[in-house]
Structure formats: structure tokens, C-alpha cells
Amino acid sequence: MPGPEPGEAAGARTTVVVWIIESTWPACVDAARARAPHDDVVLLHVGDDEVVAAAHRAYAGLLGRGHRPDRDPGARLEALAGPAAADLLEAAAHRLGRPCELLEHHGRVEHEVVRAAAGADLLICARDGEPDRPGPHSLGRATRFVVDHAACPVLLVWPYGE
């Protein structure tokens, strides 16, 4: 028999972590509104530091020494990532329509999501893989890791509602 849904237990407030990704966040926020209308919601975005590091390495590797550091695309990506994540979290909070906590983490995405959801009662995330291929390919690498390793129930939603 399945346990109670988040917020169903009498008087109990639960915490729902919503993993916000650029391509799927509206469906995740809508799921939180529908499934956890009275719970504490944490909106989580994780910046992938590997993308910035790859840009730094590519610039240094392709052009070698003697090139101006201000032209490093990794530095530019790093500078743009913070405001972009803040804008995304703000848009998600606006769509949620009620007070919530905003968390911005950096690092290896799948590990940060699992860590952030460790004390949560529910984690909401979306399928992010190939939409036309049911089965294992419907989840990206990070989402597959999160589904396999999260220490709480995971609600996996389809992102194609809009």
C-alpha cells in the first residue's frame, strides 16, 4: 500500500525539492503546485561546473599560451551562469505563486541534486532525455543518476505540457 502523498498526513508539513532545469522547469513547478499545495517547497538549480571547466580547457588547449585571459570563453560562461540561474529560479518562484526557498548549487549536477534532496520528503524532476524513445533513453545521464540514488521518493514528470 502506498504511503501518504506529501502534505496528506494530518498536521505534517513536508519539504518538496523541485529540481529546476532550463528545458523542463515549468512542468516541475506545475507538478509541485498540483501535488504539494501546502508543503514547503525548495526550488533547486545546479550549475554544471564541468561546462565552464571544459571551455577553459578548450581555450587553453586550442590557442596555447600568450592569449589574453579576458577572451577566455570559460570566464564569460562563468560570469553569465550566476545571473541566468537567478533569473530561472525567480521565474520558477513566480510560476509557483507562493513563498519558497531558492537554492543555487554548483558542481557535478547529479551529485548536488541527490545531496540537496537528502532530507526532503519528495523530489520532483522531469524526464530530459529523448522524448520519442520510451525506456532508459527517456532520461538523461544526470536524471538517471538522481532517480537511482535519491534517498527520498521521486516524482518524475513529463515536461511537454505547454
Side-chain angles (χ1 to χ4, degrees), residues 11-23:
R13 287 189 65 93
T14 58
T15 301
V16 176
V17 174
V18 182
W19 180 19
I20 302 298
I21 299 175
E22 287 77 359
S23 60

Side-chain angles (χ1 to χ4, degrees), residues 70-141:
D70 62 323
R71 299 185 78 181
D72 180 353
R76 184 166 169 85
L77 279 174
E78 198 169 11
L80 294 173
D87 290 347
L88 185 63
L89 284 169
E90 197 60 42
H94 180 73
R95 187 177 183 110
L96 181 64
R98 65 179 204 249
C100 59
E101 182 179 353
L102 305 179
L103 283 181
E104 184 181 345
H105 287 203
H106 289 272
R108 196 163 174 187
V109 174
E110 59 270 30
H111 290 245
E112 290 298 318
V113 172
V114 168
R115 188 171 306 137
D121 298 292
L122 178 67
L123 169 65
I124 297 175
C125 58
R127 295 181 177 276
D128 60 349
E130 300 175 34
D132 300 332
R133 296 185 69 182
H137 298 287
S138 66
L139 297 179
R141 178 186 55 83

